[in-house]
Amino acid sequence: MDSDTIWRNIDEQRGQLADLLDTLEPQQWATPSLCAGWTVREVAIHITQSHASLGEMLPSAIKSGFRFDAMVRRAALDDPAEPAAITARLRAMAGSRKRPPMTKEVDPLLDILIHTQDICIPLGIDRPMPADAAAVVANRLWHMKFPFAPQRDLPGYRFVATDADFTVGPEWGARREAPIRDLVLMFARRRDVPDAEPEPEADAD
């Protein structure tokens, strides 16, 4: 996927998430997300903070002892933005190619696809991922070592997407077939790898 297509997908997904967030009731914003200890509101704020400057993130970094996970958590907790401001920020990101330092171009796409599921799944909202974009994200996840490391954490599997051109893992591995969205969620530790389906019993003679 080329650069322009990656950023077009990012803009589309951010805009669609903003539209969805505009429909939520106050109690839904307070719903626990798939990110342990994070509410829907805090995840939504975190997405907008990918445009924060180093100076803006510095207070959170200092308070958290420069630990990455603690820093992004602190930044979300300290942000007082109300829902309307959060969705306005998301829409204002359209057309920008700004991304956090030391990240790859595909990482904002990874961020928006996964965090949209973090928000939607606990709310019972079925939110499809565009298959081609999800395949790019799955490939990025598969080769990461931080904060996710699926090759280390999920050894011995061969993953095959049923709705995209995507296959990873050793040929001898235990085969797991699933929609590409589910593979992304497995690699990002949002969903467990399913057990193998039992072999059908042979008919008795």
Side-chain angles (χ1 to χ4, degrees), residues 7 9 31 40 49 60 63 67 98 102 119 121 126 128-129 163 177 180 205:
W7 286 103
N9 274 278
T31 298
V40 164
Q49 289 176 336
S60 296
K63 290 179 183 178
R67 291 171 291 125
K98 185 177 181 181
M102 298 179 291
I119 289 168
I121 290 174
D126 182 19
M129 287 184 189
D163 55 353
E177 296 185 5
I180 190 66
D205 292 336

Tab-separated table of all heavy atoms in Angstrom, residues 7 9 31 40 49 60 63 67 98 102 119 121 126 128-129 163 177 180 205:
chain	number	residue	atom	x	y	z
A	7	TRP	N	-2.573	7.152	4.028
A	7	TRP	CA	-3.106	8.349	4.688
A	7	TRP	C	-4.566	8.591	4.344
A	7	TRP	O	-5.317	9.123	5.165
A	7	TRP	CB	-2.239	9.556	4.355
A	7	TRP	CG	-0.948	9.505	5.107
A	7	TRP	CD1	0.284	9.159	4.627
A	7	TRP	CD2	-0.766	9.748	6.511
A	7	TRP	NE1	1.221	9.185	5.628
A	7	TRP	CE2	0.604	9.546	6.800
A	7	TRP	CE3	-1.612	10.132	7.540
A	7	TRP	CZ2	1.138	9.709	8.073
A	7	TRP	CZ3	-1.095	10.290	8.814
A	7	TRP	CH2	0.266	10.080	9.080
A	9	ASN	N	-6.736	6.190	4.009
A	9	ASN	CA	-7.419	5.294	4.950
A	9	ASN	C	-7.431	5.859	6.357
A	9	ASN	O	-8.441	5.763	7.068
A	9	ASN	CB	-6.739	3.917	4.942
A	9	ASN	CG	-7.260	2.994	3.876
A	9	ASN	OD1	-8.297	2.355	4.044
A	9	ASN	ND2	-6.549	2.913	2.761
A	31	THR	N	-17.868	3.873	29.407
A	31	THR	CA	-17.771	2.413	29.352
A	31	THR	C	-16.314	1.960	29.318
A	31	THR	O	-15.500	2.551	28.600
A	31	THR	CB	-18.491	1.893	28.087
A	31	THR	OG1	-19.870	2.251	28.160
A	31	THR	CG2	-18.363	0.380	27.962
A	40	VAL	N	-13.846	4.400	27.210
A	40	VAL	CA	-14.011	4.796	25.812
A	40	VAL	C	-13.500	6.218	25.609
A	40	VAL	O	-12.793	6.510	24.627
A	40	VAL	CB	-15.496	4.677	25.402
A	40	VAL	CG1	-15.774	5.434	24.106
A	40	VAL	CG2	-15.879	3.202	25.251
A	49	GLN	N	-4.134	12.373	20.586
A	49	GLN	CA	-2.840	12.831	21.088
A	49	GLN	C	-1.664	12.362	20.233
A	49	GLN	O	-0.511	12.691	20.543
A	49	GLN	CB	-2.664	12.393	22.542
A	49	GLN	CG	-3.589	13.169	23.480
A	49	GLN	CD	-3.533	12.709	24.914
A	49	GLN	OE1	-3.167	11.568	25.212
A	49	GLN	NE2	-3.905	13.586	25.837
A	60	SER	N	3.644	14.794	31.003
A	60	SER	CA	3.218	13.416	31.267
A	60	SER	C	4.417	12.483	31.343
A	60	SER	O	4.444	11.544	32.144
A	60	SER	CB	2.260	12.943	30.177
A	60	SER	OG	1.076	13.704	30.179
A	63	LYS	N	6.038	12.999	34.791
A	63	LYS	CA	5.224	12.420	35.868
A	63	LYS	C	5.284	10.894	35.877
A	63	LYS	O	5.131	10.264	36.924
A	63	LYS	CB	3.775	12.868	35.712
A	63	LYS	CG	3.527	14.339	36.014
A	63	LYS	CD	2.052	14.675	35.799
A	63	LYS	CE	1.766	16.138	36.023
A	63	LYS	NZ	0.333	16.472	35.762
A	67	ARG	N	8.382	6.331	31.360
A	67	ARG	CA	7.944	4.987	30.957
A	67	ARG	C	6.827	5.150	29.930
A	67	ARG	O	5.841	5.841	30.188
A	67	ARG	CB	7.470	4.180	32.165
A	67	ARG	CG	8.599	3.793	33.118
A	67	ARG	CD	8.077	3.181	34.417
A	67	ARG	NE	7.398	4.160	35.234
A	67	ARG	CZ	6.154	4.021	35.694
A	67	ARG	NH1	5.446	2.941	35.397
A	67	ARG	NH2	5.610	4.960	36.452
A	98	LYS	N	1.130	14.207	10.150
A	98	LYS	CA	1.938	14.243	11.355
A	98	LYS	C	1.816	12.930	12.108
A	98	LYS	O	0.728	12.357	12.201
A	98	LYS	CB	1.482	15.405	12.248
A	98	LYS	CG	2.341	15.620	13.487
A	98	LYS	CD	1.862	16.838	14.263
A	98	LYS	CE	2.733	17.080	15.489
A	98	LYS	NZ	2.264	18.259	16.258
A	102	MET	N	9.744	8.640	15.812
A	102	MET	CA	10.243	7.264	15.816
A	102	MET	C	9.156	6.236	15.487
A	102	MET	O	9.248	5.074	15.884
A	102	MET	CB	10.919	6.919	17.151
A	102	MET	CG	12.137	7.781	17.444
A	102	MET	SD	12.929	7.415	19.022
A	102	MET	CE	11.680	7.994	20.177
A	119	ILE	N	-12.959	0.670	21.260
A	119	ILE	CA	-14.148	1.440	21.612
A	119	ILE	C	-15.425	0.680	21.263
A	119	ILE	O	-16.363	0.605	22.069
A	119	ILE	CB	-14.108	2.805	20.881
A	119	ILE	CG1	-13.013	3.701	21.486
A	119	ILE	CG2	-15.471	3.495	20.919
A	119	ILE	CD1	-12.708	4.941	20.668
A	121	ILE	N	-16.183	-2.652	20.338
A	121	ILE	CA	-16.532	-4.002	20.793
A	121	ILE	C	-17.226	-3.984	22.158
A	121	ILE	O	-18.276	-4.619	22.325
A	121	ILE	CB	-15.282	-4.914	20.789
A	121	ILE	CG1	-14.868	-5.197	19.328
A	121	ILE	CG2	-15.562	-6.224	21.528
A	121	ILE	CD1	-13.568	-5.978	19.199
A	126	ASP	N	-20.641	-3.509	15.876
A	126	ASP	CA	-19.862	-4.290	14.919
A	126	ASP	C	-19.264	-3.329	13.899
A	126	ASP	O	-19.971	-2.789	13.051
A	126	ASP	CB	-20.743	-5.323	14.229
A	126	ASP	CG	-19.969	-6.193	13.258
A	126	ASP	OD1	-18.729	-6.249	13.366
A	126	ASP	OD2	-20.594	-6.816	12.375
A	128	PRO	N	-16.629	-3.060	10.948
A	128	PRO	CA	-15.694	-3.748	10.055
A	128	PRO	C	-14.404	-2.950	9.869
A	128	PRO	O	-14.386	-1.723	10.023
A	128	PRO	CB	-16.464	-3.844	8.737
A	128	PRO	CG	-17.897	-3.626	9.089
A	128	PRO	CD	-17.889	-2.701	10.271
A	129	MET	N	-13.328	-3.657	9.549
A	129	MET	CA	-12.089	-3.021	9.113
A	129	MET	C	-11.978	-3.168	7.601
A	129	MET	O	-12.303	-4.242	7.072
A	129	MET	CB	-10.867	-3.706	9.734
A	129	MET	CG	-10.617	-3.457	11.183
A	129	MET	SD	-9.047	-4.264	11.672
A	129	MET	CE	-9.109	-4.056	13.445
A	163	ASP	N	-10.403	-13.425	4.329
A	163	ASP	CA	-11.000	-12.371	3.503
A	163	ASP	C	-9.966	-11.383	2.973
A	163	ASP	O	-10.300	-10.284	2.550
A	163	ASP	CB	-12.068	-11.620	4.296
A	163	ASP	CG	-11.539	-11.050	5.605
A	163	ASP	OD1	-10.372	-11.345	5.959
A	163	ASP	OD2	-12.282	-10.312	6.280
A	177	GLU	N	-7.368	-20.073	10.658
A	177	GLU	CA	-7.982	-19.240	9.633
A	177	GLU	C	-9.033	-18.349	10.280
A	177	GLU	O	-9.844	-18.804	11.101
A	177	GLU	CB	-8.630	-20.101	8.555
A	177	GLU	CG	-7.637	-20.948	7.783
A	177	GLU	CD	-8.284	-21.700	6.629
A	177	GLU	OE1	-9.496	-21.476	6.377
A	177	GLU	OE2	-7.593	-22.508	5.985
A	180	ILE	N	-9.462	-11.074	8.579
A	180	ILE	CA	-8.268	-10.279	8.872
A	180	ILE	C	-8.466	-9.406	10.108
A	180	ILE	O	-7.522	-9.183	10.870
A	180	ILE	CB	-7.872	-9.438	7.637
A	180	ILE	CG1	-6.507	-8.792	7.842
A	180	ILE	CG2	-8.943	-8.408	7.311
A	180	ILE	CD1	-5.362	-9.762	7.920
A	205	ASP	N	-19.423	-48.048	10.999
A	205	ASP	CA	-19.798	-49.008	9.934
A	205	ASP	C	-21.050	-49.773	10.362
A	205	ASP	O	-21.242	-50.065	11.518
A	205	ASP	CB	-18.657	-49.986	9.681
A	205	ASP	CG	-17.455	-49.267	9.050
A	205	ASP	OD1	-17.676	-48.201	8.416
A	205	ASP	OD2	-16.337	-49.757	9.211
